[in-house]
Amino acid sequence: MKKLLSRIKAKRKPIALSLLIGFVAIQVFRPAKNQSSQPSGHEVTKVFPVPDDVMTLLKASCYDCHSNNTVYPWYSNLQPVAWWLANHVSEGKRALNFDELETYPPNRMFKRLGDIQKEVREDEMPLSSYTLIHRYAILNDTQKRSLMDWAAAAQETMKAKYPAESLKMPPRKPKPE
């Protein structure tokens, strides 16, 4: 039994050293940060009026993943966390980018406003993995209602401005088998 334990301990050192070297080596490879020094000129405020309280909520709970400017925590400088965050932000911006909202076609903009209402109502946004560390981003019921009411009002503005057909998403093409 002692020999077996001795062999296991002897094998752990090279494995631990290899893991340490690997961890240090991956620190060299860094993804680009989502930080823009200039406003895009296509922000949500160019399309819809955004009350100050709603803008505060958007910036606190949404903008890190859904804008062109992420405020990065200290641990974002460590790999593989930085890769995970970069992927997360990229996916978030692909779904909805408040800094580029004006460039969206009406049907996509309308859909995203509906998505905001649904995901906030169902506690899907902000993500629990985000609010676990960013406690200030947790929305209470009043804040949720403010966001949902704002998004619903924005949709009503669009309904008055655009023909109904232009606000519908085209049917998805079936995936080839």
Side-chain angles (χ1 to χ4, degrees):
M1 184 64 150
K2 282 187 178 184
K3 283 185 179 184
L4 179 61
L5 289 174
S6 169
R7 284 186 198 167
I8 291 172
K9 285 181 183 179
K11 289 182 181 182
R12 271 198 251 167
K13 286 182 183 179
I15 292 172
L17 184 59
S18 295
L19 289 173
L20 180 62
I21 290 170
F23 178 76
V24 170
I26 66 173
Q27 301 312 306
V28 174
F29 304 99
R30 300 194 175 272
K33 296 223 177 201
N34 181 46
Q35 293 177 320
S36 175
S37 59
Q38 298 291 327
S40 70
H42 303 290
E43 297 85 9
V44 63
T45 55
K46 304 278 185 191
V47 186
F48 304 108
V50 183
D52 290 342
D53 65 322
V54 171
M55 183 54 81
T56 299
L57 295 174
L58 291 175
K59 286 185 176 183
S61 299
C62 309
Y63 267 47
D64 274 348
C65 295
H66 298 284
S67 78
N68 292 336
N69 261 314
T70 299
V71 177
Y72 287 94
W74 66 269
Y75 53 85
S76 70
N77 293 312
L78 298 174
Q79 305 302 356
V81 174
W83 294 329
W84 180 77
L85 288 174
N87 182 60
H88 189 74
V89 169
S90 176
E91 286 179 9
K93 285 176 63 174
R94 191 171 31 255
L96 171 64
N97 185 340
F98 287 106
D99 285 337
E100 303 297 334
L101 195 68
E102 188 181 43
T103 66
Y104 289 12
N107 60 349
R108 182 173 181 212
M109 193 183 310
F110 190 82
K111 170 98 171 69
R112 294 301 173 243
L113 290 165
D115 292 344
I116 290 169
Q117 295 169 70
K118 176 186 177 287
E119 297 204 10
V120 168
R121 180 178 48 255
E122 295 176 1
D123 290 323
E124 291 182 25
M125 286 289 165
L127 293 175
S128 57
S129 60
Y130 183 77
T131 58
L132 183 66
I133 294 174
H134 303 89
R135 305 303 290 169
Y136 59 83
I138 297 172
L139 300 170
N140 64 36
D141 289 342
T142 303
Q143 293 168 324
K144 289 177 190 177
R145 177 58 39 212
S146 292
L147 276 177
M148 291 185 298
D149 288 350
W150 168 78
Q155 278 188 313
E156 290 304 315
T157 300
M158 290 187 74
K159 286 179 184 177
K161 184 177 179 180
Y162 296 99
E165 283 302 310
S166 70
L167 300 178
K168 292 180 181 175
M169 293 297 283
R172 289 186 181 241
K173 294 178 183 175
K175 292 182 182 179
E177 292 183 28

